[in-house]
Amino acid sequence: MAQTIYPSPLKQGDKIAILAPAGPIKPAPVDSAAKVLKELGYEPVIYPHTFGEFGHFSGTHDERFLDLASAFTDPEIRAILCARGGYGVVHNLDKLSALPLTADPKWVIGFSDISALHALMASKDIASIHSSMAKQVALGPDNDDNARLFAILKGEFPSYTFEPNEYNHTGHAEGKLLGGNLAVIADLISTPFDIIQPGTILFIEDVSEPIYKIERILYQLRLSGVLPKLKGLIIGQFTEYRPDDNHPTMEAMIAEALADYPYLPVAFNIPIGHVDHNVPVIESSQAVLDITPDAVTLTMKQ
């Protein structure tokens, strides 16, 4: 397994790009997030097409690529805060992959559709941060999850303890931590950006997906042989869906789908996803997952 490349820790005065590589966003949350970055001693740089609108996107494919390419190749930019998700990052993965990303790696920050950018970084063995975006950063540095995010940017590696869950599979796992929005990363299977790989600790979350669609993805992973070969599985938050005739909750369906793998450590109800409390995690870091009847501990390290 290749050694993970970690972008340099941020220091006072460093520039942080703010851009919208997928859906459009209004100025208010971006301006508020920029104010928070300034309060912390960083210099926010809002990119030209951040407030653009092109149908469901913040700009054309080329416009969104131009913003990202400019941020990735500017030596003064040390991190890229994605303003929001939506859909559209996939349009530019091939062109972004051709950039010299490892020559001067930046911290990529975001979640949801930004999972595709995390997959891009993982394909180059560069660590990135799955975490909140502009709307949440605008809540200020005293917000617990924001504090954790800025600690990571300064070079810290987080460790979390979570409550137990009735569906958990107890166990211990060590491996590379990868994951994100399940619908997004599942669509990257069998591409150069496929991060759902045997031997990893995978974390998943999603929003507005019917239970049967998530079940279909899990069965694809089962039939392909990937699911039983994971080191561990972290079930984040699945939100804005309806019960169906077979399963009262998404968690009940996932537990049923995993019943044949009692040896696989699985942690349910972890606060990662489209929720207010969305803990930041370092993609491509080495992680230790401990699940006991009393608690779940997730520790990231270099």
Side-chain angles (χ1 to χ4, degrees), residues 40-251:
L40 290 167
Y42 302 118
E43 183 179 342
V45 181
I46 301 174
Y47 273 65
H49 302 102
T50 302
F51 305 129
E53 244 182 282
F54 183 75
H56 293 296
F57 311 114
S58 63
T60 65
H61 295 11
D62 288 343
E63 288 171 340
R64 288 177 286 125
F65 170 75
L66 184 62
D67 279 3
L68 277 168
S70 177
F72 274 124
T73 56
D74 184 341
E76 295 190 343
I77 295 295
R78 305 317 313 154
I80 299 171
L81 173 63
C82 296
R84 63 156 293 180
Y87 166 71
V89 170
V90 69
H91 296 147
N92 288 310
L93 285 183
D94 52 352
K95 290 196 296 182
L96 291 169
S97 184
L99 296 175
L101 299 176
T102 59
D104 182 24
K106 327 284 186 179
W107 283 113
V108 171
I109 306 164
F111 76 109
S112 193
D113 194 58
I114 308 308
S115 296
L117 268 187
H118 293 308
L120 166 70
M121 303 308 283
S123 75
K124 305 294 184 179
D125 297 306
I126 302 172
S128 57
I129 307 173
H130 183 281
S131 76
S132 300
M133 297 181 280
K135 180 181 176 182
Q136 294 79 21
V137 169
L139 296 174
D142 293 333
N143 173 273
D144 288 345
D145 292 326
N146 286 343
R148 295 181 182 105
L149 167 62
F150 292 116
I152 293 172
L153 289 173
K154 290 179 180 178
E156 294 184 21
F157 283 75
S159 180
Y160 302 123
T161 300
F162 306 111
E163 294 292 323
N165 184 276
E166 62 178 315
Y167 293 128
N168 285 356
H169 294 189
T170 58
H172 173 88
E174 297 187 25
K176 183 174 283 192
L177 182 66
L178 290 167
N181 181 268
L182 185 56
V184 172
I185 61 177
D187 283 344
L188 297 176
I189 290 173
S190 297
T191 74
F193 314 104
D194 183 355
I195 62 171
I196 308 179
Q197 297 290 335
T200 62
I201 297 176
L202 180 69
F203 68 92
I204 57 175
E205 61 83 26
D206 221 316
V207 60
S208 300
E209 291 289 347
I211 291 176
Y212 80 90
K213 287 191 176 182
I214 299 300
E215 183 183 41
R216 185 165 61 194
I217 294 171
L218 292 178
Y219 268 82
Q220 195 278 342
L221 299 180
R222 176 184 180 127
L223 294 171
S224 68
V226 172
L227 187 58
K229 293 180 182 177
L230 294 174
K231 286 286 187 70
L233 182 59
I234 296 171
I235 310 300
Q237 301 301 300
F238 286 77
T239 54
E240 297 182 26
Y241 69 90
R242 295 179 180 177
D244 66 17
D245 292 338
N246 297 103
H247 304 99
T249 66
M250 189 73 76
E251 289 73 19

Side-chain angles (χ1 to χ4, degrees), residues 23-34:
I25 190 169
K26 300 297 182 184
V30 172
D31 292 342
S32 296

